[in-house]
């Protein structure tokens, strides 16, 4: 069975002088994930590892690279979903922890809930000993500070050699957002989705992705309209664009096909498959 992996580092306006640096880093992360999948790793472990690496690198508006909200505080959102079981976990408005996606996975694996927010998410993370950032004032290095529509949510979707799908998404949200604002990223169905048909991770203006329930709609269109992954993924992004939003998504299906549509200036993205495909692109 063919494995497939896709990553994104955000859609929106992208500073062209940073493209080479970001593509080189993403290529390295992609190669690590590709070798995990080629060696039989499960899709859920791979998407969690990919998103954790993208959170830690500081090059995207997620994890270390996150920008503060309008009150000067960094509040992070993340989610993960296992396509085989449709188990899911998410955190929103989380502060002080190194890997929001790993805390989201903890919510999935160690609670009976799907989404924990704010102080509740932080007490949960503390109770499970997730790694903290130390001094937040020194840890965060906003990746694209000052850019209009700066975005850089990160995400990963994978199909493993056993045919299982998984998706994960993590973000610092929109730069200068209101305190307590939660976007699409931790909302299962909006910014992240996986079932047996498709695994999807979104990026862009989250309010629009919530209003079209973007990630789950890719799978629903495959099921109900009988169209393929590429057509379903493009139709969802067209829906976002038609409402006045911008952004993109990455998706894989149960046959290992990959789609990466976007309606924005660019979307940092990379994908590879067991059939020898390997691409890293921004525009
Ligand atoms: N979708 C994210 C949010 O609205 C932002 C992004 O992808 O840049 O929080």
């Amino acid at each position: 069975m063919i494995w497939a992996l896709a990553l994104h580092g955000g859609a929106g306006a992208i500073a062209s002088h940073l493209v080479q640096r970001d593509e080189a880093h993403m290529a390295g992360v992609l190669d690590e994930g590709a070798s995990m999948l080629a060696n039989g790793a499960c899709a859920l472990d791979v998407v969690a590892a990919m998103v954790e690496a993208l959170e830690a690198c500081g090059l995207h508006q997620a994890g270390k690279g996150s920008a503060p909200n309008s009150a000067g505080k960094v509040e992070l959102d993340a989610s993960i979903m296992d396509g085989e079981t449709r188990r899911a976990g998410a955190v929103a408005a989380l502060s002080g922890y190194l890997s929001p996606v790993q805390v989201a996975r903890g919510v999935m694996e160690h609670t009976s809930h799907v989404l924990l927010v704010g102080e509740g998410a932080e007490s949960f993370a503390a109770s499970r000993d997730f790694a903290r950032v130390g001094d937040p004032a020194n840890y965060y290095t906003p990746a694209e500070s000052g850019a209009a529509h700066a975005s850089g949510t990160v995400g990963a979707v994978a199909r493993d050699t056993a045919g299982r799908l998984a998706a994960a998404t993590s973000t610092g949200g929109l730069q200068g957002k209101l305190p307590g604002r939660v976007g699409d990223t931790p909302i299962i169905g909006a910014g992240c989705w996986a079932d047996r048909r498709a695994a999807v991770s979104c990026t862009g203006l989250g309010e629009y992705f919530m209003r079209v329930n973007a990630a789950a709609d890719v799978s629903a269109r495959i099921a109900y309209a009988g169209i393929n992954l590429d057509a379903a993924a493009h139709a969802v992004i067209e829906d976002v664009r038609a409402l006045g939003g911008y952004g993109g998504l990455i998706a894989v299906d149960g046959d290992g096909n990959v789609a990466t549509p976007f309606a924005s200036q660019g979307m940092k993205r990379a994908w590879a498959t067991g059939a020898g495909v390997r691409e890293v692109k921004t525009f």
Side-chain angles (χ1 to χ4, degrees):
M1 280 231 212
I2 280 197
W3 59 265
L5 173 66
L7 310 177
H8 73 74
I14 290 165
S16 51
H17 67 285
L18 300 176
V19 166
Q20 258 189 325
R21 177 198 71 176
D22 291 3
E23 287 190 353
H25 179 266
M26 191 170 277
V29 177
L30 180 74
D31 291 343
E32 265 171 51
S35 93
M36 287 175 79
L37 285 164
N39 287 314
C42 82
L44 190 69
D45 287 343
V46 173
V47 297
M50 298 290 92
V51 169
E52 185 176 8
L54 293 169
E55 288 173 336
C57 72
L59 303 180
H60 312 283
Q61 160 72 358
K64 184 171 174 57
S66 296
N69 63 19
S70 64
K73 189 175 176 198
V74 174
E75 291 186 340
L76 306 180
D77 302 337
S79 58
I80 189 164
M81 187 164 187
D82 175 26
E84 197 61 17
T85 59
R86 274 202 260 170
R87 288 192 310 155
V91 289
L94 174 79
S95 295
Y97 286 86
L98 274 182
S99 177
V101 75
Q102 292 293 0
V103 182
R105 186 174 184 174
V107 172
M108 175 176 91
E109 291 179 340
H110 302 296
T111 78
S112 57
H113 307 308
V114 168
L115 172 61
L116 294 178
V117 309
E119 283 175 19
E122 285 149 25
S123 338
F124 166 74
S127 75
R128 302 289 315 181
D129 283 331
F130 281 98
R132 294 175 191 260
V133 298
D135 177 9
N138 294 321
Y139 179 71
Y140 296 106
T141 53
E144 295 183 41
S145 170
H149 298 307
S151 59
T153 295
V154 302
V157 294
R159 175 194 193 274
D160 63 28
T161 51
R164 294 169 297 208
L165 302 179
T169 312
S170 180
T171 192
L174 299 178
Q175 191 171 335
K177 65 189 178 182
L178 289 176
R181 179 268 188 187
V182 172
D184 60 315
T185 301
I187 305 302
I188 297 301
C192 185
W193 180 260
D195 58 19
R196 289 182 178 172
R197 279 185 295 274
V200 184
S201 172
C202 300
T203 171
L205 209 43
E207 281 69 10
Y208 290 87
F209 284 78
M210 293 159 91
R211 288 164 57 197
V212 308
N213 201 36
D217 198 37
V218 173
S219 173
R221 285 175 188 261
I222 294 171
Y224 305 145
I227 55 179
N228 67 23
L229 179 79
D230 198 55
H234 277 87
V236 168
I237 291 305
E238 174 52 25
D239 204 6
V240 168
R241 194 201 59 75
L243 284 180
Y246 70 83
L249 62 81
I250 53 170
V252 296
D253 71 10
D255 295 324
N257 297 303
V258 176
T260 65
F262 61 96
S264 53
Q265 189 213 355
M267 178 169 76
K268 300 182 253 180
R269 63 201 187 281
W271 67 101
T273 75
V277 173
R278 182 181 180 278
E279 299 277 357
V280 184
K281 291 188 167 162
T282 302
F283 298 112

